[in-house]
Amino acid sequence: MAAASLSFESLGIGCKPAINKFDRAHCKRRTLKKRFEAFQRRRWFRTSEQPTVPSSVPKLYCKNHVEARGHCTADRAPAEDPAYARRDQRRRKKTKVLKRMELFVLDNSLRESTVGQLRGHTIENKWKIYNEIKKVGFKHIIVASFSHMTRLGDTFCRQLKERGEDFTNLYAFTEFLESIGKDGIPDVKAIPIGLLKMKELGIKNVIIEMDLVYRGIDYKKFKVEAINDLLSERMAWIRKHLSQDSKVFVNLRDLPDAMIKRPKRIFKVISYLSSLPPNERPFGLVYEESGKYLPEQLGAWTAAVRREMDACGFKDGHLLVHVHEQWGMADSTQLQCLANGANGIWASLIIQGASMGHSCSTVTLMNLARLGNKKVLEQYNCTALREAAQEVCRITTGFEPNPLQVVYGERALDMVFGMPNFTPGKKEFNMAKFFGEKPVMRMTTLASPMMIVQRLNKLFGEDPQFTEERGQRMKEVMLEDLHKNIKEEYMSAVGIAMLFDRSGGNLTEEMSEVIAQVKPKTAHAQELIAEIHAMWDEWDLRDGEKDDQLEFDAFYNGFLAPYFGCYRCDETKQALKAIDMDEDGTVDWNEFALYLKWAMRQYPQTKTAEDLLSVAFRKGLIPAMQDEVLKQS
């Protein structure tokens, strides 16, 4: 079938048209005529005593402005601007496509998330990630990329086979060419090692990776016809040696660069693959983008590729996109491609990947869901995306996701301002509600008193002390800290409990229980607190019983003496009561540990146990005790 007609403009490739002298003169006369007509209209508006809008005046003049002022300087109203109307129509069309599409997800979490990472996947990691993928409901999964070395993917594939996993929709990568000679001519006879290993391991679905503007290949010798013939040979080999019903994707790895440098070459390949008989065609085409091109460019190129596929009778062929991050446009680019003809993505659940990462499936699926796409909710278990992505990130990196990571970061569901325009309306998509969670009230000086109260209630349960007046006072203390150059966080259970205490509240037993369950995140913090706990135990055993409680005098002698010079002073005794949350006449370890955990969280650079005690007393406990003295005085 003949290829679809193409133009440089349709591909997003600029070209300077030739203009002869007659054309220039004609354009100049037309411009002068338009300027004269505009001048006449402006002159008419200035001189008319009773201005009305004549039928000859275009609609760009606002009738209301004319009647009120006698002239009009308003721009054309958006609704009457043809250019605006066309842009709005295109936007609506793209939104409609995204809202109604069935998204094909080729999951690459087992491969993409480990590319370029400082810590690679272990076999145990592979299995954990594989299980998270299945929880989300992704059916098409890339499991390996092979080389002459025995990679972890080889072992993992053998274990998949041993455990009886279904290989129907499992995929692996292979290179299109096994080797390239020094003369720039590829070895077309050698079967790539990736295909040979797939045959050995029983993987029948293939992603053939190829380049069309690779500098190491002499394309004057290795011409498009030879490329197309070799593609047919590769697919014939796959269907003969792997499976007759193998799903074959061809990855045009450098499609964006080829669109700029050699668009004809790439469209000859696309046209050839799309024109093959149905039993010889690939399952679909995939391509990737390095992150350096604009979303509009990728959108235009995607539309051109889809038109070519459709024109050649390949309307049922899949077109999947994979976008790398580089300049902050990855997610926008991926959505632009989906709106312009791509019907799927190949991506990991998390952004980690080659270079700066990539546009992950979690964010893309949630973008479609928030636009109202109900089909993706039926295809996949989208409510499990957030937890699955968080777990895959922990498995891959050993750390929690970046707190500011959209969708699955810790702060992705935060409520930042107490203003209506930052709160999803009843008809708007509410991500926290979608995931079955309550929005977290972020504790900053911009939080409203009610937001602070809601945060306290969520962490520690309801208490009569949790009032808006107390919330207002806590905001004031935040500002006082900043004026004193004290930079601390109030979001964690430990942080907000300390703020509550310093703002005149009495620490409750519920606070102590919640904070007791909070474990320091770093090994260094755990070591310092354990060292202080050992010191605590020495004083605890002096009464013959180890119960994690110290009498006031023991606590004073063991820890407080360097900071308060007189134990018998009434002021000191009153201050000691500030740490006694349950008011049982003793200091409990959990009550004291609150200040240690707070100090370690706020000042993680603390080096020794002595330094930690100093920070806990000087910056936490003593200010809280002074507040208690002021309340009782």
Side-chain angles (χ1 to χ4, degrees), residues 77-125:
E80 298 175 352
D81 186 348
Y84 175 87
R86 287 193 296 270
R87 289 195 299 271
D88 187 60
Q89 186 178 9
R90 288 195 296 269
R91 179 190 62 79
R92 290 175 181 272
K93 183 179 179 181
K94 290 178 180 179
T95 303
K96 188 176 180 179
V97 170
L98 294 174
K99 188 175 180 179
R100 296 184 177 183
M101 74 181 309
E102 291 186 14
L103 187 72
F104 186 101
V105 177
L106 179 58
D107 183 80
N108 198 24
S109 301
L110 289 165
R111 283 295 309 151
E112 185 70 30
S113 61
T114 192
V115 176
Q117 295 300 309
L118 297 177
R119 300 179 181 181
H121 288 166
T122 64
I123 286 292
E124 183 182 0
N125 293 158

Side-chain angles (χ1 to χ4, degrees), residues 4 40 55 102 104 118 192 226 230 260 285 305 344 381 398 404 435 468 493 496 510:
Q40 290 286 71
S55 58
E102 291 186 14
F104 186 101
L118 297 177
L230 187 57
I260 296 292
L285 304 180
V305 172
N381 183 16
L404 296 179
F435 288 122
E468 289 194 46
I496 197 171
E510 288 77 10

